[in-house]
Amino acid sequence: MISSQRQHLILSRLRTRGAVRITALSKELGVSAMTIRRDIADLADKGLLKRVHGGAVSTSTLLSEPLFSVKSQMELGLKDAIAQRAIEYVSPGDVIAIGGGTTAYVFAQHLLESQRANGITILTNSIPVAELVQALESKDVEVIVTGGVITRSNSLVGPIADKVIASLRVNTVFLGTHSVSVPRGFLMPNSLEAATDMAMMDIADRTIILTDHTKWSSTSLSLFARFDQVDTVITDDGLDPDSATKTRDLVKELVLAHGVDEADDELATA
């Protein structure tokens, strides 16, 4: 298959999925990861897609929320690193809230596999996170689900969710974000989801944002938190020095987790 045919297929997959991974395309097309990376770079130069670590996303999805199933396949190594650092902020018996999105979901996975989850209560508007807790057999973990309208990211949002949240109180809330804007703050494409995230922050003693470094180069519509409203931002050490310096000046605490760059892994195995 020549390059133009491969690139046509890549764009076709982006139209239906919203995002693609280099490893999956390499296997599907029977070519090396380096070849797929060159095709993606060529398409990015033409403005037809946006490169991200480990793959690409459609330019048409930059202001909208991709499906949970799509997002869950991107930046897996970085999300694992962020999650490992985030569980240090939970103690047995805590009452915490976990928002929607795949980074928060990976955090929940790591937390529930650790001793820190013993006796905790989790308030969540994430259907996948609630399902994780429901599947537990050995840990004493209680889950409270907000209810509400389901988004593309399998989150529950809207007035019903906000009303349930407002009646409760938690020690710490862990939230993901669609994009980070310096110096504005943290944004979501869905205004209802942004409002529900704000509701969670209102009932929390401490707010922690979990996000990989690629979110500093994306954009979105609805602001849900300013930097001065957030206690800790946990990202990976792939964040460029300039963004790290500016963010550290704005937020109370910035944590850089050591992450494995999926794209580098593919280069090593190509």
Side-chain angles (χ1 to χ4, degrees):
M1 184 181 291
I2 63 176
S3 62
S4 60
Q5 292 174 317
R6 290 194 306 270
Q7 291 178 17
H8 178 78
L9 186 141
I10 291 170
L11 292 174
S12 176
R13 295 292 183 270
L14 280 175
R15 282 192 292 272
T16 57
R17 301 173 185 171
V20 292
R21 296 184 67 203
I22 290 172
T23 50
L25 288 170
S26 176
K27 291 177 182 177
E28 180 180 357
L29 299 178
V31 296
S32 70
M34 183 64 72
T35 296
I36 296 299
R37 192 172 288 107
R38 282 195 294 264
D39 287 335
I40 287 176
D42 188 34
L43 291 168
D45 289 341
K46 297 173 183 176
L48 298 176
L49 54 74
K50 176 180 171 61
R51 298 172 69 184
V52 296
H53 285 273
V57 296
S58 170
T59 53
S60 64
T61 66
L62 294 180
L63 296 180
S64 63
E65 186 71 7
L67 291 170
F68 185 90
S69 59
V70 171
K71 291 174 64 182
S72 64
Q73 300 303 310
M74 308 305 293
E75 282 86 36
L76 294 176
L78 305 183
K79 292 172 184 175
D80 282 334
I82 292 165
Q84 291 282 13
R85 292 300 303 271
I87 65 174
E88 299 172 9
Y89 291 78
V90 181
S91 299
D94 274 355
V95 179
I96 67 172
I98 301 177
T102 55
T103 306
Y105 175 77
V106 174
F107 160 68
Q109 286 180 310
H110 283 273
L111 176 61
L112 294 172
E113 291 170 356
S114 75
Q115 294 300 315
R116 293 176 179 269
N118 291 335
I120 67 171
T121 298
I122 298 174
L123 167 67
T124 188
N125 68 324
S126 168
I127 294 173
V129 169
E131 290 175 341
L132 272 180
V133 181
Q134 187 66 24
L136 283 179
E137 295 181 357
S138 59
K139 286 204 172 67
D140 179 23
V141 180
E142 182 179 356
V143 63
I144 301 169
V145 183
T146 64
V149 178
I150 302 175
T151 69
R152 286 170 57 85
S153 60
N154 282 5
S155 300
L156 296 164
V157 302
I160 294 174
D162 298 349
K163 185 174 182 179
V164 171
I165 292 167
S167 67
L168 302 170
R169 190 77 190 175
V170 300
N171 302 124
T172 308
V173 59
F174 297 87
L175 298 172
T177 184
H178 187 265
S179 62
V180 182
S181 174
V182 178
R184 292 184 64 205
F186 306 90
L187 301 99
M188 287 289 186
N190 185 320
S191 60
L192 289 178
E193 187 161 11
T196 297
D197 283 349
M198 285 189 279
M200 283 193 174
M201 291 173 58
D202 285 343
I203 67 160
D205 296 328
R206 177 173 60 178
T207 296
I208 298 177
I209 300 292
L210 311 176
T211 181
D212 67 76
H213 73 273
T214 65
K215 303 300 175 61
W216 271 257
S217 60
S218 62
T219 187
S220 201
L221 292 173
S222 299
L223 185 74
F224 70 88
R226 301 187 312 272
F227 281 99
D228 62 2
Q229 295 176 302
V230 171
D231 295 282
T232 301
V233 176
I234 304 177
T235 186
D236 61 272
D237 56 7
L239 185 64
D240 68 90
D242 183 58
S243 295
T245 298
K246 291 178 180 177
T247 301
R248 191 173 279 111
D249 289 342
L250 292 167
V251 76
K252 297 174 184 175
E253 180 184 30
L254 175 66
V255 177
L256 301 180
H258 178 62
V260 176
D261 191 322
E262 194 171 326
D264 288 342
D265 279 355
E266 289 164 358
L267 270 172
T269 58

